[in-house]
Amino acid sequence: MGEYGITAGQRVAIVWDSSSPVEALKDLVDKIRALVGAAGSVSVENVNQLCQSSHRESSFDVVLSGLVPGSAAQHSPEVLAEIARILKPGGRVLLKEPVLTASANNSRMKTATKLPTALTLSGLVEVKELQKEALSPEETQAVQEHLGYQGSDLLIVQLEGRKPNFEVGSSSQLQLSFAKKAAPSGKPSVDPAAAKLWTLSANDMNDEEMDLLDSDELLDSEDLKKPDPASLRAPSCKELGKKKACKNCTCGLAEELEQEKRSSQPKSACGNCYLGDAFRCASCPYLGMPAFKPGEKILLKENQLHDA
């Protein structure tokens, strides 16, 4: 097996970014072509254009990304998902990316612990770290120029991951048996000792050694006292301080309020009701009745009780 674990006849994809030196990219492509030979093939894709490429799913045996010396490629979740898509089942990805030793604000770079998680979330398995080292001067310069990060807490990490040995969305029929199991012949035997333990017969009730509890002994003197009827009566609405009767009033407050309503004197809106019909409003309840003295109590019929 050759460098990067590549053998003759394999299909390899090399992913590069704008920070990759052109000469270093050419050298890597020539080296991989020599490994796969005439029976294999090498495709070169820019990391920013990979998701728009026309590669069919399960096209490559190996994907090399960010392995061009001097590269500062960053792998977004979309790029990692596309790499997993174009890999064949069981195919490998070798990935290199500059990372931070600790999280930093206003930086899109990952930390050394978050990069393997990103590969796993993209659908890759058996993700492992192959190498972790300080950045070379060329890689440090690429990070500063292309990623705009000026800090010194940087490392370059190389990881390997595999695509599962099945295609995304594939299905397999489960071999399930729904045949009914044959009923066992005969009833299961019962332990006589267990049966006797859970059986209570009339003879057991007459056993002199059995101590039965008298139910009357469970009641004390307070339980035998006759309760006061007043304590059993529910408090009335008035006793509870309510000015309105309950919906299902049974204490008599509803009837009392209704009687007061019927016997109450309607309040005059204009103050001229006692003078007679010539001075009364169109909705006056006293229409048709003779004049009366102010303050005199007048009894109205049921159908005349409405607001003036």
Side-chain angles (χ1 to χ4, degrees):
M1 184 176 291
E3 192 173 0
Y4 305 116
I6 297 174
T7 58
Q10 288 187 324
R11 297 194 63 189
V12 180
I14 299 177
V15 181
W16 61 282
D17 74 318
S18 56
S19 66
S20 305
V22 177
E23 292 301 324
L25 175 61
K26 289 182 179 179
D27 291 343
L28 179 62
V29 172
D30 292 340
K31 182 185 298 185
I32 300 304
R33 282 177 176 168
L35 292 174
V36 299
S41 64
V42 178
S43 297
V44 182
E45 288 288 350
N46 184 278
V47 67
N48 297 320
Q49 301 297 323
L50 180 62
C51 295
Q52 286 75 40
S53 65
S54 58
H55 295 297
R56 299 170 59 182
E57 62 183 24
S58 304
S59 300
F60 297 98
D61 300 288
V62 181
V63 174
L64 306 178
S65 184
L67 294 185
V68 179
S71 173
Q74 294 291 297
H75 300 85
S76 66
E78 293 77 15
V79 169
L80 293 175
E82 180 65 13
I83 291 176
R85 187 188 70 86
I86 63 177
L87 271 175
K88 294 180 180 179
R92 298 184 305 117
V93 55
L94 293 175
L95 179 146
K96 207 170 187 180
E97 181 175 324
V99 297
L100 302 172
T101 57
S103 299
N105 295 330
N106 302 324
S107 176
R108 60 190 180 93
M109 299 178 64
K110 306 179 189 68
T111 61
T113 56
K114 289 185 177 180
L115 183 58
T117 302
L119 268 70
T120 302
L121 293 176
S122 68
L124 299 173
V125 297
E126 300 180 24
V127 178
K128 57 184 177 181
E129 183 180 296
L130 300 180
Q131 188 178 6
K132 181 192 293 184
E133 59 186 5
L135 274 68
S136 65
E138 295 82 3
E139 292 167 339
T140 302
Q141 183 179 357
V143 170
Q144 294 173 349
E145 292 179 357
H146 296 274
L147 301 181
Y149 187 76
Q150 304 299 323
S152 59
D153 53 337
L154 295 172
L155 294 171
I156 190 79
V157 176
Q158 182 173 334
L159 301 177
E160 179 185 29
R162 291 182 180 272
K163 184 173 181 177
N165 290 319
F166 54 84
E167 192 54 77
V168 176
S170 60
S171 61
S172 178
Q173 185 176 0
L174 298 177
Q175 301 296 328
L176 299 177
S177 176
F178 295 97
K180 293 183 178 180
K181 295 182 178 180
S185 58
K187 294 182 179 180
S189 58
V190 179
D191 185 3
K196 184 179 181 180
L197 181 64
W198 293 100
T199 302
L200 186 64
S201 66
N203 295 331
D204 295 326
M205 299 298 294
N206 296 326
D207 192 347
E208 296 180 356
E209 297 179 358
M210 179 170 288
D211 187 13
L212 297 180
L213 185 63
D214 187 359
S215 58
D216 292 337
E217 295 179 359
L218 299 177
L219 301 176
D220 55 22
S221 58
E222 293 294 328
D223 296 326
L224 298 176
K225 287 184 180 180
K226 185 177 181 180
D228 184 5
S231 65
L232 301 178
R233 183 179 60 86
S236 64
C237 298
K238 286 185 176 181
E239 292 173 346
L240 294 175
K242 295 183 178 180
K243 295 182 179 180
K244 293 184 179 181
C246 302
K247 183 177 180 181
N248 299 319
C249 180
T250 59
C251 67
L253 181 60
E255 291 80 358
E256 183 179 342
L257 294 176
E258 183 66 23
Q259 185 65 27
E260 290 179 0
K261 181 179 178 182
R262 293 182 180 181
S263 62
S264 62
Q265 187 79 1
K267 186 178 180 181
S268 174
C270 61
N272 298 326
C273 300
Y274 70 96
L275 296 175
D277 286 350
F279 300 92
R280 293 169 181 164
C281 305
S283 59
C284 182
Y286 298 104
L287 280 176
M289 297 182 65
F292 53 88
K293 294 179 181 181
E296 182 181 356
K297 187 174 182 180
I298 306 298
L299 296 179
L300 299 176
K301 296 180 180 179
E302 184 70 23
N303 57 3
Q304 290 180 300
L305 291 177
H306 54 78
D307 294 334

